[in-house]
Structures are given as C-alpha cells and as structure tokens.
Amino acid sequence: MSAASAAVAGRSAGAGARKPRRRGAGWLGFTPFAAYTLVFMAVPTVLAVWGGVTAEDGSFTLANFSAFGDRSILKAFENSIVLSLAVAVASAILGAILCVMLLAAKPNGILRVVVDAASSVLAQFGGVMLAFAFIATMGSSGMFTLWLQSTFHVDLNSLAPDKTAGPLLYQPAGMFFPYLYFSIPLMIIAFMPAVEGLRPQWGEAVATLGGGRFSYWRHVGAPVLAPSFFGAMILIFASAFSSFATAAALTNSGILIPVVMQQDLSSETASGVTNIPGVLAIGMIVIMAIVMWAYSVLQRRAARWQR
Amino acid sequence: MSRRGSARVGAAPGRATATVVLVIAGLAFLYPLYALAAFAFQPVGQHSGFTLQHLKALTDPVRAYQYDQLWEGIQNSLVIALVTVLLMLVFLLPAMILAELRYRRVRQAIEFVCLLPISIPTVVLAVGFIPVYQVMWQATGSVAWILAFAIGIISLPYAFRPIQSNMAGVDMVTLQEAARSLGAGWFQTVWSVILPNLRRGILSSALLTVSVVLGEYTIASFLQQNTFQTGLALLEHADPYVASTFALAALLFVFIILVLIGAAGTIRRNRKVSTWSPSTATLPPVR
C-alpha cells in the first residue's frame, strides 16, 4: 500500500495516522471511538462503583454497604425486583402470543411494518409521556377509572394493595400496567425473529408423521423457542429493572431503587459525594451482571436453531 | 429462508383467531393513547368535551412564561440530537468501516462495546456522569449540548444496529477491492463507494439516535439539565393539558419516523439478507 493512500485511510477513519509506512498504523483509526467509550462509558461506571466504596474523605471503605441494612432501601430493591419479575413473566407470555399471531400477517406487509415501528416507539419511548398516558387512563380521574366507577361502581384505587400509599398508579402494583405497556413491544421486537425462524418444513414434517397442532407445539415449537423465550424474558426484566423515567414521572417517593438513587443524589450532589447512590449502583450492577450472564447462556442455546 | 407464510403448516395460527387477538391487542394499546388525546383537549376541570383553548394558551403572551422552559428544553434537545448524530458519525461510523474493511476481528469487540449500554442501567451511568460533568462544566459553563456525549453512549446500541445490518447485506470487502483495483485511493473508496452503499443504514441510525435523544429523561434529570422530557415533566404540574398535547405530538412524530424507516427497509430490502428491519435491528442480537 502506498504511503499516501494509507495516510488517507487513517484520516478518513477519523484519526491522523502519522506513520503510514508502519503496518500497525491503521489501528490508530480506532482511537477516537476507543477514547470516547472509555471516557464516557468505562470511566462513569468505574466512578459510580468507586463512589460506593469510598468514604466522604475519599478513602476506601466498605461502610457504605450498611445501606443494604436500611429497611427502606431493602424494600425498594424488593419492589424493583418483584415488579420487574412480574412484568417480565406477564409480557413474555402476552408478547409471545402476539408474535405467533403476527405470523398470520404477510412478512413484509403494512401490518408488520406498523407493528415493528409501533413496537420500537413504545419500547424505547416510554418514560414521561407514558406516565402521562397512564395518568389520563387510570389516574384518580382517568378515563378507565371513571368508566369503572360509572359502570360497575368500582373504585380502581380501592383495589390498591397498600391503602395508605395513595392512588394505585403510584404504587408498584399499579406501575405494573405502564411497565407492561413498554415491555410487551420489547418482547415482540426481541422474540419475533425467533418465531419467524420456525421452518415450515418442521410443520410439514410433523404433519407427515401424523401429528396435529398440539404435538407440533409440544415437540417442536416449544423446545425450539424456549431459549429465545426465556432470553427475551430476561431482557425485559433487565429493562424494567433499570427503567427510571416512568417511575420518576409517576411518583417521587422512593419506592423503586432507581428513584431512591436520584433522591440520595439530590441530597448529596451539593458536596459532589455519591457514596450511597454509588453503593446502590453496585447492587444494581451485580443483579444486572447475573441477569445478563443468564441471558448470554440462553442466547448460545437459542443460536443452535437459527440460521 | 422461511418467507412464504402460506407454507407454514405448524406455527401459523388461523386467520380468524389471529385477527381477533391482534385487534384486541391493538385496541388495548391504543386506549391509553386515546385517553391521553381526550384529556389533552378537555375543558379544564371536566371529564369530557372538546376544546382548543389549551392550544390557544400556548400563544397567549400572558401565559408565555409557563412554556418558556418547555421551548428551551425542546431547543436543547434538538441541539443535543444534532450533536449526538455528529458524534456517532465521527466516532462510531469510521471505527465500524475500518473494522469491516481491514481489521475484521475487531468487529466483535465493537459490537460488544456498542451493546454494553443495554446491560449497564442508565441510572448507574448517570451517577458516574455527575463527577465527569462537574469537571467538564468547569471548562464550558453549564451548557446543555454537552449532554450529547453522555446520551451518545446510551444511543450506541440503536446507532450501531442499522449500520451493522446494512454492512452485513453489502459485501464491503469485494466492493473495496473492486474500487482499489480500478485505481481508487482509500479516501475515494470510502467516500464514493462504501458510504453510498451504507446510506440507508446511516440514515436509520441517525433517525433512531434522534428518537432516543428526544425520549431521554434519566440523564438530563440526574444532571439537572433542561431538555424536552424534563420540560414536559415540569409542565405537567403547571399545565397538564399542553404537556399531554406535546407528549402525543412527540409520540406521533417518532412513530412516523419509524414507519418511514420500516417502509423503506421493506421495499428496498436486499433479498439475501431479508431479516433486516430497523426495529428488530435496534436490540441485542437474537441469534
């Protein structure tokens, strides 16, 4: 390769490769990307964890872990985990049913395009706007609440498990519904490729062997889809567990762990100290690490049946 | 590949069942949006009716101060969106092209890094961003557009996927060799052969990045900056009607963007790699 062309290659890759004659100079093209992700992904994660294991004066300590003995923090962790689990299981089942139903639609038809787009919007565009929609639906004077009242004389908020914690929607039990609203689309996005990967030949094989629809699902569909199904379920757990915006827009009492983190921050940022949020971040990272490890194991099993 | 739906003996449900279930699901998903829309145009204090008075309030100079923060937030978000897209073009795209053409083993490392933000909770990153930004803001003053560096990280998976799928559908190495053997230099190869072939992926990637930025709330809220979403959250207390209108408009806007990407992806889809779709392309690999 000529010196000039190598230099251009280096420049077009975003970095000035100074010594084009050297064979390894092209590697320098990765510098901007590496530097960016290092400074804005690795460093913040390390700093968050670091804040958890240092005292206010900056010395190393494990004392912050006493936060996990705090009853309200434990309760918030419990709420977060239970809510995410319930959301993951429910949306995995409902989403999987919808995925199978979508097989009836033409693969490149308008319905699939609309469902794909709507799923993407709803899956990543939740947050504040989703909270608004659910306040208008099942808040104290929401459309659904009023309809239940006028038609069945049932007060939605009287169904809340914790009567002292205000309206249903501002408790984890009520947040279940907005969380479902962004998790089912996520399930469709994550699970649809697996469902589409079911080969027609397998169905034909079952039919040739005299099997009906039930034996198809029992012996072919379910075993093949199982790893993708549980993998997608784990993904939903992870997304619900780390979701902040929806909960924060609904309530500012610290009932879920991400909201607790922000509250602790706003009482601490003045001094620039992030000890308690840091130690909670460690807790979240540990849970997410376990979850993502399980996800990768399942993905490896799922990969056998695809392609 | 199993593209012919009629051939599905096994999995495909009956048409009637599918229609009934999908219609019910569709209505269930539309209901909260309908409730939001109905609320946005309700007269104050009533639970039914239709009025445009809330939209008029937007242009009322007496009440303008209420909406100042929202307008400023929208401006900030648009600037952040623009800067984030530029960051992706400057940092991510060249690295991906370089890996695809010359260092193919690095591709996996890039994919790993780009998908990592999915497994790090945004709140954790946000806690870490606070000390980082305290340093940065000492140099620049408290300006919002710098948030683009942080938001760029959480939009990495969404920016990465469409470009990756596009690259998988184009044989870039052969294209490159062809261009080089015709005498094109590296720059000319990338500029007039590689990039035009990646146009669709880059466009989808940019649009998805914009939609992530417009929907971003966590980082802005942790760093106490004013963006579209934090502005909406604040306005909810002062004027929930107008806040709802804006929420609806934003949802609709992003929905239309994604339908357009989806339609373009379907029509001009490369037959050989027909699983490409921008929305399935936005999430962790399912294979």
Side-chain angles (χ1 to χ4, degrees):
Chain A
M1 150 201 324
S2 76
S5 65
V8 172
R11 210 179 310 138
S12 69
R18 280 289 128 79
K19 296 194 180 91
R21 261 179 205 287
R22 273 231 223 111
R23 278 194 73 213
W27 283 98
L28 290 178
F30 292 116
T31 320
F33 180 69
Y36 172 55
T37 48
L38 195 71
V39 172
F40 287 95
M41 184 155 41
V43 168
T45 313
V46 170
L47 282 178
V49 171
W50 182 247
V53 292
T54 47
E56 272 186 49
D57 58 3
S59 60
F60 180 83
T61 175
L62 293 178
N64 299 323
F65 282 90
S66 62
F68 291 114
D70 184 299
R71 186 163 288 186
S72 67
I73 285 181
L74 275 185
K75 183 72 190 156
F77 260 108
E78 187 197 315
N79 282 342
S80 273
I81 292 175
V82 171
L83 173 63
S84 314
L85 260 183
V87 168
V89 172
S91 27
I93 293 172
L94 294 173
I97 294 176
L98 290 181
C99 283
V100 173
M101 293 303 153
L102 280 172
L103 282 181
K106 256 188 280 164
N108 290 346
I110 184 74
L111 177 67
R112 288 293 306 279
V113 170
V114 168
V115 170
D116 275 0
S119 299
S120 296
V121 178
L122 298 177
Q124 58 172 289
F125 218 56
V128 181
M129 296 170 293
L130 184 57
F132 288 1
F134 273 84
I135 293 172
T137 306
M138 47 184 280
S140 311
S141 55
M143 190 181 264
F144 186 67
T145 316
L146 294 177
W147 178 78
L148 269 187
Q149 233 156 26
S150 63
T151 320
F152 296 106
H153 304 286
V154 177
D155 178 13
L156 190 62
N157 289 317
S158 69
L159 303 175
D162 185 352
K163 302 280 186 280
T164 57
L168 175 66
L169 188 58
Y170 306 142
Q171 304 181 18
M175 286 183 193
F176 176 76
F177 297 99
Y179 273 59
L180 266 194
Y181 197 82
F182 68 76
S183 298
I184 293 178
L186 183 58
M187 179 70 185
I188 295 180
I189 297 175
F191 191 56
M192 199 63 213
V195 175
E196 280 189 316
L198 289 173
R199 311 253 161 104
Q201 292 90 323
W202 297 342
E204 287 156 14
V206 172
T208 330
L209 293 170
R213 178 145 290 213
F214 179 77
S215 35
Y216 173 81
W217 282 112
R218 160 93 177 69
H219 296 290
V220 179
V224 168
L225 292 180
S228 307
F229 177 81
F230 290 109
M233 191 191 275
I234 288 173
L235 200 66
I236 296 171
F237 177 88
S239 110
F241 184 70
S242 47
S243 162
F244 167 77
T246 314
L250 283 174
T251 172
N252 44 24
S253 70
I255 52 172
L256 297 178
I257 209 68
V259 186
V260 174
M261 277 168 84
Q262 198 207 20
Q263 285 177 335
D264 284 332
L265 266 180
S266 42
S267 59
E268 282 190 29
T269 30
S271 53
V273 182
T274 56
N275 302 133
I276 298 300
V279 85
L280 298 180
I282 294 177
M284 286 192 86
I285 289 178
V286 168
I287 293 178
M288 289 296 280
I290 297 172
V291 160
M292 292 322 275
W293 171 77
Y295 178 71
S296 70
V297 170
L298 285 168
Q299 279 306 302
R300 240 171 288 149
R301 299 216 56 185
R304 277 193 215 158
W305 299 103
Q306 286 171 3
R307 292 222 149 182
Chain B
M1 284 268 340
S2 53
R3 286 274 125 198
R4 271 143 282 133
S6 58
R8 283 197 183 87
V9 185
R15 244 202 132 67
T17 329
T19 312
V20 170
V21 173
L22 290 176
V23 165
I24 292 175
L27 290 179
F29 271 92
L30 283 176
Y31 187 80
L33 297 180
Y34 170 66
L36 183 64
F39 174 76
F41 295 102
Q42 253 163 28
V44 178
Q46 291 178 34
H47 298 311
S48 58
F50 180 88
T51 171
L52 288 176
Q53 73 186 73
H54 306 302
L55 284 184
K56 284 195 194 113
L58 259 183
T59 52
D60 183 352
V62 184
R63 297 179 62 187
Y65 70 95
Q66 277 189 341
Y67 309 113
D68 280 351
Q69 202 143 21
L70 182 66
W71 291 124
E72 191 197 273
I74 291 175
Q75 268 173 24
N76 284 344
S77 280
L78 290 178
V79 174
I80 293 172
L82 187 72
V83 178
T84 312
V85 170
L86 287 178
L87 289 179
M88 293 299 119
L89 291 181
V90 172
F91 290 138
L92 178 64
L93 184 63
M96 286 182 73
I97 293 179
L98 188 62
E100 183 77 18
L101 293 182
R102 285 192 62 189
Y103 302 98
R104 296 180 67 82
R105 267 180 303 172
V106 182
R107 289 183 304 169
Q108 278 202 320
I110 292 184
E111 172 167 13
F112 175 77
V113 169
C114 285
L115 297 185
L116 207 54
I118 292 178
S119 26
I120 309 174
T122 311
V123 276
V124 171
L125 280 175
V127 170
F129 280 137
I130 289 171
V132 172
Y133 272 84
Q134 273 175 348
V135 175
M136 288 176 66
W137 274 322
Q138 272 170 12
T140 64
S142 182
V143 288
W145 66 267
I146 294 195
L147 281 192
F149 286 93
I151 299 177
I153 290 294
I154 60 162
S155 46
L156 268 184
Y158 304 94
F160 170 78
R161 269 277 173 242
I163 300 181
Q164 189 209 28
S165 318
N166 196 165
M167 281 182 169
V170 180
D171 191 345
M172 298 216 342
V173 176
T174 310
L175 277 180
Q176 177 219 196
E177 283 163 359
R180 304 268 290 143
S181 69
L182 289 171
W186 273 93
F187 178 78
Q188 203 182 357
T189 307
V190 170
W191 184 256
S192 46
V193 177
I194 301 296
L195 285 183
N197 273 291
L198 295 180
R199 216 171 6 195
R200 197 156 43 85
I202 294 172
L203 185 67
S204 303
S205 160
L207 291 174
L208 283 173
T209 305
V210 169
S211 81
V212 171
V213 174
L214 293 184
E216 207 292 321
Y217 175 72
T218 311
I219 290 176
S221 140
F222 270 66
L223 294 177
Q224 296 170 350
Q225 290 298 310
N226 182 22
T227 62
F228 175 44
Q229 296 294 327
T230 58
L232 270 188
L234 272 177
L235 186 61
E236 167 75 352
H237 303 293
D239 187 341
Y241 301 100
V242 170
S244 301
T245 314
F246 273 88
L248 261 181
L251 279 170
L252 209 63
F253 173 69
V254 174
F255 175 72
I256 291 172
I257 287 185
L258 289 171
V259 167
L260 289 181
I261 311 180
T266 308
I267 296 161
R268 305 185 47 195
R269 190 173 289 185
N270 184 332
R271 288 282 170 272
K272 264 189 163 172
V273 278
S274 51
T275 44
W276 189 81
S277 133
S279 46
T280 55
T282 59
L283 276 146
V286 189
R287 65 186 87 104

